[in-house]
Amino acid sequence: MLRPKVPTNPMPTGIVTPPTAIEPTAIVQHPVAPAPSPVAPASARPTVQLTPGAVIALVGCGTAVVLVVGAVLVSMLLAVAITGASLAICALVIRSLITADAKRR
């Protein structure tokens, strides 16, 4: 039915050069002197020193974060549980309505 036609190219479009023989060349390696190891510069930043007040503040903030995240997760779990229970109750009511309708006929 439909046959694709493959285009033919009777003349090459680019410059055609005959292949040339490649002669191997000798590779000479020179000994390489090892580079001197760099010396680490002294740190310009001061070291972090925690005072007792800062430690108490960090512990307080960490506790607050844990409590907030825990409350959010528990509320999400409770929402899922309530939704599941309400869907189960709806399914029971619909099933009882369907069976009661079938018994009347």
Side-chain angles (χ1 to χ4, degrees):
M1 197 166 121
L2 296 174
R3 295 185 187 219
K5 238 183 171 179
V6 179
T8 58
N9 194 2
M11 297 292 291
T13 56
I15 300 174
V16 179
T17 57
T20 57
I22 300 174
E23 296 181 12
T25 56
I27 299 174
V28 178
Q29 294 182 351
H30 298 287
V32 178
S37 60
V39 178
S43 176
R45 297 186 312 178
T47 58
V48 176
Q49 295 179 353
L50 294 175
T51 61
V55 171
I56 291 172
L58 284 174
V59 170
C61 289
T63 304
V65 167
V66 167
L67 289 175
V68 168
V69 169
V72 168
L73 291 177
V74 167
S75 65
M76 288 172 63
L77 179 64
L78 186 60
V80 169
I82 290 172
T83 304
S86 65
L87 284 175
I89 291 171
C90 289
L92 288 175
V93 169
I94 291 172
R95 187 176 73 174
S96 68
L97 289 173
I98 291 174
T99 56
D101 188 38
K103 285 181 183 180
R104 278 191 241 163
R105 291 182 184 192

